[in-house]
Amino acid sequence: MLARNAESLYWIGRYVERADDTARILDVSVHELLEDASVDPDSASRQLLGVLGIQPPDAAPLDVWSLTELVAYSSGNTGSIVGSLTSARENTRGAREVVSTELWQSLNSTWRALPDRQNYARRVGPHAFLAFVEERAAMFAGLADSTMSRDDGWRFLVLGRSVERADMVLRLLLSRVRDRTSSPGWMTVLRSAGAQDTYLRTYRGVLDARRVVQFLLRDRLFPRSVFHALRQAESCIEELDERASARLGEKSEASRLLGQARSELEFLRPEDVLDDLPGRLGSLQATIREVGEAVSTQYFHPTPWVAWANAQVLA
């Protein structure tokens, strides 16, 4: 597969996942701000922007509407929902020969519907817009599952989605590491990750910080846990490297980093989950960044562009 197509598919996976996760997180945060009068809108909004890695404005205080404009609708902000979907659409348009027609039509029609959805949401509230994004991201994932061959293109798409998903869940957990173990904020984390119902069924309604962190970090069956995302990304890398490593069994840098992070979670004792939680989450997040850099170096830009020096033109 051409490096440019591989890179496009990888970033399509990342951008669609980013838009989906951002919509989930923002939807829960907006409800919390509107329903709980004791929450300071400016402080909560700036905390959310920190989680999402978006630079907050310095001047005016933030509220639900200005937060939504910045995180959801801003076309000039690449980390916003509209910015992420626009980037995903541009990457898909540049890789039409390796994506299905249904996948392209789904993403293109989603992008074209965004202005009308924004105008409607500005009148009645952001929930309708955020629910639309979540539904379209789910449709995109379903079409990818049902229309793409399980070849290298599929692996790059899933790799990007898995790396982005692990990073977003880590950001969510980092936003609550200072909360009390019985704080209702842990339920907010579960709702933002789309994990509330599954968690409550798994632990029969018992809510505490250790179980929440255990579930979102280490659960093997929940597809949005960090462990599950790391294992899926590791599987994609191993399949991509299968031919290259068949003789010597050597691991690529991305595979080594993913395996190391996955093993750290896999063999962590449950009673030690909360020990130095900020340090553990920060280390995992740094590893995710290194994985992204390693994937880019290995598959997309393996060598820098070379300019010939003192070249002579042959007559």
Side-chain angles (χ1 to χ4, degrees):
M1 172 174 286
L2 293 174
R4 64 175 178 83
N5 287 334
E7 185 173 16
S8 292
L9 287 164
Y10 171 79
W11 282 106
I12 291 166
R14 292 202 67 161
Y15 283 130
V16 173
E17 181 65 26
R18 186 176 302 173
D20 184 21
D21 291 343
T22 303
R24 292 172 182 275
I25 294 170
L26 183 59
D27 198 14
V28 172
S29 298
V30 166
H31 276 88
E32 187 177 23
L33 288 172
L34 293 175
E35 294 171 0
D36 190 349
S38 65
V39 177
D40 177 44
D42 183 65
S43 176
S45 297
R46 292 181 184 277
Q47 182 182 18
L48 176 59
L49 293 176
V51 170
L52 298 174
I54 298 175
Q55 185 67 32
D58 296 327
L62 295 169
D63 56 16
V64 168
W65 303 105
S66 57
L67 174 68
T68 306
E69 287 289 336
L70 188 60
V71 175
Y73 310 142
S74 175
S75 57
N77 178 11
T78 57
S80 71
I81 294 172
V82 169
S84 296
L85 290 175
T86 300
S87 297
R89 187 238 186 195
E90 290 304 307
N91 277 275
T92 307
R93 186 171 65 170
R96 286 293 308 278
E97 66 267 30
V98 292
V99 299
S100 65
T101 300
E102 293 87 350
L103 209 61
W104 160 250
Q105 290 175 343
S106 170
L107 197 50
N108 188 48
S109 61
T110 300
W111 179 79
R112 290 184 175 279
L114 290 178
D116 289 339
R117 295 285 177 166
Q118 289 176 54
N119 292 333
Y120 178 74
R122 287 188 177 102
R123 296 196 305 271
V124 303
H127 175 71
F129 177 84
L130 301 174
F132 169 74
V133 172
E134 292 176 35
E135 291 169 2
R136 299 300 293 191
M139 178 182 292
F140 178 90
L143 287 171
D145 285 344
S146 60
T147 63
M148 289 187 68
S149 297
R150 289 342 188 227
D151 54 9
D152 285 355
W154 162 260
R155 295 183 185 104
F156 279 113
L157 182 74
V158 175
L159 175 61
R161 180 175 66 191
S162 302
V163 168
E164 189 67 29
R165 182 172 293 178
D167 181 63
M168 293 296 280
V169 174
L170 289 170
R171 289 175 183 271
L172 268 176
L173 290 172
L174 275 167
S175 71
R176 294 291 179 177
V177 292
R178 305 300 179 189
D179 286 10
R180 302 187 314 274
T181 56
S182 59
S183 169
W186 293 107
M187 183 60 74
T188 301
V189 170
L190 289 171
R191 291 170 59 197
S192 299
Q196 179 182 5
D197 293 339
T198 308
Y199 170 88
L200 293 176
R201 294 189 190 101
T202 302
Y203 289 104
R204 302 185 183 280
V206 179
L207 179 68
D208 67 65
R210 187 181 65 81
R211 285 189 173 93
V212 171
V213 175
Q214 171 91 351
F215 185 76
L216 290 178
L217 272 185
R218 303 183 65 236
D219 194 272
R220 292 169 175 265
L221 303 181
F222 184 60
R224 289 187 173 273
S225 75
V226 175
F227 178 85
H228 193 282
L230 292 176
R231 186 169 60 178
Q232 194 165 43
E234 187 181 12
S235 175
C236 291
I237 291 288
E238 288 177 350
E239 291 173 4
L240 288 168
D241 293 348
E242 186 176 3
R243 290 181 296 274
S245 62
R247 296 182 67 89
L248 300 178
E250 294 181 353
K251 299 288 187 181
S252 66
E253 179 66 8
S255 182
R256 185 189 66 79
L257 290 167
L258 286 166
Q260 188 176 30
R262 188 257 310 152
S263 297
E264 180 183 342
L265 290 178
E266 187 172 13
F267 298 106
L268 179 66
R269 293 186 300 181
E271 59 269 24
D272 295 337
V273 164
L274 295 182
D275 292 349
D276 189 25
L277 184 59
R280 178 174 291 111
L281 297 177
S283 176
L284 284 169
Q285 195 174 37
T287 299
I288 294 297
R289 286 195 297 269
E290 292 174 6
V291 168
E293 293 169 0
V295 168
S296 179
T297 300
Q298 181 177 349
Y299 297 108
F300 312 143
H301 312 291
T303 56
W305 181 75
V306 177
W308 292 100
N310 301 322
Q312 295 181 352
V313 179
L314 298 178

